[in-house]
Amino acid sequence: MLAAKDLDALKATLEAERERLAKEIAEYERDGRETLSDVSGENNYRDHMADQGSATFARELDKTLEENARESLARVEAALARIEAGEYGTCRRCGAEIPVERLRAVPEAELCVTCKAQEESL
Ligand SMILES: [Zn+2]
């Protein structure tokens, strides 16, 4: 079992991470809208094409980063839900305890090192 103070510290880390990611995602959403309006406001054909190309690239890059942020947020929220459910710190696959050192390094981890290695080798 995790010590209460370890659990509290990990929970605080996860909550801070959730806040950071939510802000990051809100920023991407705002940037996405601004980029769209910039492109539609451009009339010169050649400039339009060039701008559209770079804007599309920037949007796609943002989209990838946004998707990564959303996936991270989902993992952080799942970890917080497991804390609430009292399941945090046990491996989702084999039920073994995840060492606190691993949780400190990866607070959203839901697999022990052994299961994680097995999953990655599949
Ligand atoms: Zn396991």
Side-chain angles (χ1 to χ4, degrees):
M1 262 309 269
L2 275 171
K5 68 170 170 50
D6 287 329
L7 191 60
D8 282 351
L10 290 162
K11 191 177 172 185
T13 305
L14 284 162
E15 280 170 344
E17 187 66 3
R18 179 173 62 182
E19 197 168 314
R20 190 187 68 78
L21 287 165
K23 269 189 203 150
E24 196 181 315
I25 291 165
E27 204 120 301
Y28 287 134
E29 284 172 349
R30 209 191 51 207
D31 286 356
R33 279 199 296 277
E34 279 171 7
T35 312
L36 277 173
S37 60
D38 285 350
V39 169
S40 59
E42 181 55 69
N43 290 320
N44 182 285
Y45 182 71
R46 269 180 63 176
D47 284 353
H48 178 77
M49 290 309 281
D51 282 357
Q52 197 171 36
S54 56
T56 303
F57 176 74
R59 259 206 313 280
E60 267 167 19
L61 187 66
D62 268 6
K63 225 175 139 188
T64 308
L65 293 171
E66 186 182 338
E67 272 162 23
N68 288 344
R70 282 184 195 283
E71 280 167 22
S72 300
L73 182 61
R75 280 198 297 272
V76 166
E77 284 184 336
L80 285 163
R82 284 199 307 278
I83 290 176
E84 293 305 317
E87 292 164 0
Y88 184 74
T90 52
C91 176
R92 196 166 49 83
R93 244 173 82 161
C94 71
E97 261 186 47
I98 302 175
V100 67
E101 293 75 25
R102 170 160 165 74
L103 292 170
R104 284 200 188 109
V106 191
E108 71 273 30
E110 46 182 37
L111 295 172
C112 69
V113 179
T114 312
C115 290
K116 178 81 182 157
Q118 276 172 11
E119 194 156 280
E120 277 170 3
S121 69
L122 287 177

